[in-house]
Amino acid sequence: MHVIIIGGGTGGMCLAHGLKRAGVSVAVYERYGSRTDGLYGYRVGIDPTGNRALKECLPPGLFDVFVATCARTPRYFNVLTEKMRLTASIPLRDDRDDIDSERSVSRATLRRVLFTGMEDVVHFGKVFTHYERHDDGTVTAHFDDGTSATGDVLVSAEGTRSAVRRQYLPHAQIKDTGITAIATKTPLTPDIRALLPEQALFGLSLIFATRGLIGMLHVMEFDGSADSDDYLNLSIWSADGRFPAGTAQLRGEELVKVALAATGDWHPHLRKLFELSDPAAAFPVRIATSVPVEPWQSTTITLLGDAVHTMTPGQGVGANTALRDAALLCRELTAAASGRKDLLRAVADYEAEMIPYGFARVADSLDNNGTSGDDPLYKPFTGRIALFAARSYFSLTSKVPALRRKFLADLYDYRGA
Ligand SMILES: Cc1cc2nc3c(=O)[nH]c(=O)nc-3n(C[C@H](O)[C@H](O)[C@H](O)COP(=O)(O)OP(=O)(O)OC[C@H]3O[C@@H](n4cnc5c(N)ncnc54)[C@H](O)[C@@H]3O)c2cc1C
């Protein structure tokens, strides 16, 4: 059996490693060699679900490299006001376990790790255009350079704008949520460190600001490595109308200026993070979500990750769900390759499990942290009440031990611990 995977991102490469490890013939077709633009220069949070999938699929030595290249695990979950007042700070569990821990990794680093040892599997510079299905069930993928590849199974792992999905499930929709985010990256110099309270420096911080603006601050510190690699990501998001028209087209200094203008009443130390950010690394994100689709008749074409169930970053589980898909599909395809299961049964069993949990994550993500433009936080009158409620909820949770324990238990449970 030969498996072809379109897209060498998080989910596609995890699957490719798992299949290669199991001795199943696999080839990945990826459009780009290396990238540092967009989200690639940023942090991604890998949770126990993601760790488990990576551990299952990667060769043991490479999993250790992944762990070693992660930033220090956040020690606190904080809620700040725009004036940098700490309204909640909840200590998180430490990161001693291989699986049951939260990890922060730079996307570009994770990408490099996932391409390691796969030179014989990954074909770069291959932009998928369309596929052809043959009577014997085999599938041919076509690329924009005129070449093609044929396999027994075609896996779509090319992310939110999947061209396979457009052809295979043309009724599946991707919806704009009405939220624009601006992401920035600032080198973590000693001067910058001095601007932040200890909890923010050693934690991840959600900023619930007035006037319908939310922020997230992640500190990426790599123990034992040179200071120059350390950075922080400060992102803000709101309903589209909160930013000037055309914000999503801006880049560099212009975009940082929009972030500064939107946060004019924020604490000067937080604004300083924007002022000292690397303009070349700033970029806008239009937050999208998938609309759940009814299960379909399984064939020798299937999908994983954002290609099927793209979700808002509200819960931080998009990559983790793509990894979960990869490990599950790997098990099913390995069973088919070894003759223990019929191939169509294997794909059907994968989809029967993946579709419900995938779209459940889509729904939870849309409901969380203001990643839908309809959120009361963005309405003129209800906004103040919603802001007060959100801040009070976290403040109370951080102060009452029973609530704090429940919050942490629910959080880790949700994230697969
Ligand atoms: C602001 C933001 C923050 C986020 N934070 C988190 C987080 O903390 N934790 C988390 O779990 N998730 C997070 N996510 C979600 C996460 O980034 C995605 O869910 C995850 O990357 C999806 O993985 P994937 O393998 O499905 O697709 P991707 O990783 O997007 O990979 C798709 C690959 O396909 C390639 N490709 C695309 N089109 C073609 C084509 N036509 N031909 C060939 N190749 C193609 C691309 O170049 C890419 O390499 C965040 C998302 C956003 C927007």
Side-chain angles (χ1 to χ4, degrees):
M1 191 175 88
H2 180 62
V3 180
I4 51 182
I5 301 173
I6 311 297
T10 318
M13 286 312 298
C14 182
L15 172 63
H17 273 286
L19 291 174
K20 183 178 174 184
R21 219 180 136 183
V24 180
S25 169
V26 56
V28 175
Y29 296 87
E30 164 60 39
R31 60 182 173 179
Y32 296 127
S34 63
R35 292 190 81 186
T36 50
D37 60 327
L39 271 179
Y40 289 98
Y42 282 70
R43 175 227 185 232
V44 61
I46 300 298
D47 67 14
T49 300
N51 290 328
R52 193 171 291 116
L54 287 168
K55 177 109 181 165
E56 185 175 331
C57 293
L58 265 48
L62 197 58
F63 180 80
D64 296 341
V65 173
F66 156 69
V67 172
T69 52
C70 287
R72 182 180 36 66
T73 292
R75 287 190 217 144
Y76 307 95
F77 168 79
N78 306 309
V79 176
L80 297 172
T81 67
E82 73 283 7
K83 305 291 188 203
M84 226 165 71
R85 192 165 61 84
L86 198 64
T87 56
S89 185
I90 302 176
L92 297 171
R93 295 178 188 165
D94 68 19
D95 63 347
R96 261 172 261 173
D97 195 87
D98 257 9
I99 303 296
D100 277 345
S101 51
E102 290 286 332
R103 298 212 155 84
S104 291
V105 62
S106 292
R107 281 167 200 265
T109 308
L110 178 61
R111 195 169 167 86
R112 272 199 300 277
V113 168
L114 290 174
F115 285 142
T116 303
M118 298 298 268
E119 297 74 13
D120 53 335
V121 168
V122 186
H123 304 263
F124 289 108
K126 295 289 176 189
V127 180
F128 169 88
T129 54
H130 65 286
Y131 66 78
E132 250 178 297
R133 215 160 358 146
H134 308 291
D135 294 343
D136 62 355
T138 58
V139 188
T140 299
H142 292 272
F143 305 102
D144 75 344
D145 58 0
T147 59
S148 64
T150 301
D152 298 288
V153 187
L154 174 97
V155 181
S156 165
E158 349 89 278
T160 307
R161 310 280 159 211
S162 164
V164 175
R165 183 193 62 241
R166 276 203 301 277
Q167 184 179 350
Y168 187 55
L169 302 174
H171 56 287
Q173 287 171 38
I174 302 296
K175 201 174 69 177
D176 199 322
T177 60
I179 295 288
T180 298
I182 301 176
T184 66
K185 185 174 178 177
T186 311
L188 188 62
T189 59
D191 288 353
I192 294 281
R193 295 176 65 96
L195 299 176
L196 294 172
E198 158 122 359
Q199 287 93 334
L201 205 51
F202 291 102
L204 62 93
S205 308
L206 193 57
I207 304 167
F208 276 117
T210 50
R211 301 192 298 126
L213 203 55
I214 305 180
M216 177 65 96
L217 178 65
H218 288 295
V219 176
M220 294 291 282
E221 223 182 344
F222 300 90
D223 297 327
S225 66
D227 264 355
S228 57
D229 289 340
D230 299 345
Y231 63 88
L232 52 84
N233 287 145
L234 176 59
S235 305
I236 50 169
W237 62 93
S238 187
D240 295 342
R242 177 75 166 73
F243 300 109
T247 294
Q249 279 71 51
L250 299 178
R251 296 291 182 280
E253 301 269 6
E254 296 302 313
L255 192 60
V256 176
K257 273 189 203 151
V258 172
L260 279 165
T263 55
D265 57 345
W266 284 33
H267 192 285
H269 287 188
L270 289 173
R271 300 189 79 234
K272 198 87 185 157
L273 303 182
F274 287 126
E275 284 163 16
L276 297 179
S277 69
D278 171 10
F283 71 99
V285 190
R286 296 294 304 274
I287 305 292
T289 187
S290 51
V291 179
V293 274
E294 289 300 312
W296 54 89
Q297 178 74 42
S298 298
T299 69
T300 48
I301 297 172
T302 192
L303 310 94
L304 66 73
D306 280 4
V308 54
H309 46 55
T310 197
M311 57 192 79
T312 77
Q315 296 274 19
V317 291
N320 291 298
T321 311
L323 291 169
R324 177 177 178 180
D325 295 351
L328 174 63
L329 183 56
C330 181
R331 261 174 262 140
E332 291 294 344
L333 292 179
T334 303
S338 66
R340 281 180 284 129
K341 217 180 217 187
D342 172 66
L343 175 57
L344 284 182
R345 180 80 259 149
V347 173
D349 287 352
Y350 159 69
E351 290 174 350
E353 196 172 329
M354 175 276 290
I355 294 170
Y357 72 63
F359 286 113
R361 292 296 190 252
V362 170
D364 304 336
S365 298
L366 194 56
D367 253 2
N368 211 37
N369 293 334
T371 51
S372 162
D374 300 333
D375 198 290
L377 273 164
Y378 305 123
K379 305 279 184 271
F381 298 111
T382 52
R384 285 179 186 207
I385 301 166
L387 176 64
F388 177 75
R391 284 177 174 171
S392 306
Y393 162 75
F394 283 113
S395 170
L396 195 65
T397 301
S398 71
K399 288 189 186 115
V400 179
L403 293 179
R404 201 167 58 219
R405 277 195 298 276
K406 175 159 182 355
F407 172 82
L408 286 174
D410 290 350
L411 177 78
Y412 284 98
D413 186 41
Y414 184 80
R415 300 179 67 80

